[in-house]
Amino acid sequence: MKSGMFITFEGPEGAGKSTIINMAAQRIENTLLTREPGGIDIAEQIRRVILDRDNTAMDPRTEALLYAAARRQHLIERVSPALKEGKIVLCDRFVDSSLAYQGHARGLGIEEVWTINKFAIEQMMPDLTIYYDIEPQIGLQRINNNKGREINRLDLEDLEFHQKVREGYHILLDRFPNRMVKIDASRTIEKVLEETIEIVEKKLSEK
């Protein structure tokens, strides 16, 4: 049984969630900050394979399975132990990314990808998921303007793909209204951060 709280952060490319989660971790006590795919050695190795710009021949089903494999190892090695210790786990991406990217945008089907991931995560779902919403054009422009950010394989996808990713997330918002909260990520980082902190603190107070 977990005694901590599992909070995940989601969004399309360029939404700024990785920046926000790092800033939020400095404001919230007793946190463990981690990411997907990655967070531990095995999952980081899988991450390098998935995001390598040379791996453009990767089949969508292979991609989905690799994400699920990295997720499983990360969950049992890092997330679950931290939750048992009572920590607040802040995770940059989780299962919703696979449902939006591979399930909807890649056309594999949300239900099909959900089945793969149910095997990987068993019953472990986030207590709260914060989704940062932004128009794909704006998000991709942010990436292009950020010279310090590495361009990965997913960044190279066309605009239509990223539009489908956002569409997929909106489907998930309707499907999981009690778990997912949407934030307008087109605003200043200060406003987005403050709303994030308010949402997290409210969830913590409910527990």
Side-chain angles (χ1 to χ4, degrees):
M1 292 291 293
K2 64 180 182 181
S3 58
M5 184 169 288
F6 187 23
I7 302 175
T8 58
F9 296 72
E10 296 282 352
E13 307 304 313
K17 61 174 180 46
S18 298
T19 300
I20 294 296
I21 191 175
N22 278 281
M23 297 174 72
Q26 298 175 22
R27 300 259 305 263
I28 304 168
E29 296 182 354
N30 193 34
T31 58
L32 170 71
L33 178 61
T34 190
R35 71 173 182 176
E36 281 203 357
I40 47 100
D41 185 56
I42 291 174
E44 288 289 344
Q45 292 179 54
I46 297 173
R47 178 188 181 91
R48 288 193 288 272
V49 173
I50 294 173
L51 299 181
D52 191 327
R53 294 170 63 178
D54 292 332
N55 291 338
T56 54
M58 186 178 295
D59 179 78
R61 289 175 185 262
T62 300
E63 184 179 81
L65 289 165
L66 285 172
Y67 273 115
R71 180 163 297 127
R72 174 64 184 177
Q73 190 66 30
H74 177 244
L75 193 63
I76 63 169
E77 190 173 337
R78 188 162 176 81
V79 176
S80 292
L83 291 173
K84 289 176 182 177
E85 293 173 4
K87 291 187 178 295
I88 301 166
V89 177
L90 306 180
C91 188
D92 188 343
R93 297 198 182 280
F94 192 59
V95 67
D96 297 298
S97 285
S98 287
L99 301 180
Y101 279 79
Q102 286 75 50
H104 190 71
R106 294 282 191 221
L108 295 180
I110 288 177
E111 292 304 322
E112 286 76 5
V113 174
W114 178 230
T115 298
I116 293 170
N117 279 275
K118 280 194 292 186
F119 176 76
I121 67 175
E122 297 179 87
Q123 302 300 316
M124 183 65 72
M125 284 294 286
D127 298 292
L128 169 68
T129 298
I130 300 178
Y131 165 67
Y132 297 95
D133 190 50
I134 196 167
E135 291 281 353
Q137 297 93 326
I138 299 175
L140 294 175
Q141 187 60 52
R142 283 181 175 181
I143 291 173
N144 291 331
N145 292 339
N146 186 355
K147 303 305 180 184
R149 185 188 188 281
E150 180 184 0
I151 305 299
N152 63 49
R153 188 171 60 85
L154 293 177
D155 296 328
L156 301 178
E157 296 287 347
D158 60 23
L159 180 60
E160 181 182 4
F161 174 82
H162 292 287
Q163 289 171 334
K164 287 181 179 178
V165 167
R166 187 181 186 222
E167 187 178 86
Y169 274 122
H170 285 198
I171 292 172
L172 297 177
L173 285 166
D174 290 336
R175 178 168 177 168
F176 303 111
N178 296 326
R179 173 174 62 84
M180 297 185 72
V181 178
K182 182 174 74 171
I183 289 181
D184 179 2
S186 66
R187 299 169 299 161
T188 64
I189 193 167
E190 291 81 11
K191 290 183 177 179
V192 174
L193 175 62
E194 288 308 315
E195 186 173 357
T196 298
I197 298 297
E198 288 176 8
I199 292 170
V200 172
E201 289 181 344
K202 181 176 184 293
K203 186 66 177 181
L204 291 173
S205 69
E206 292 173 356
K207 187 179 180 181

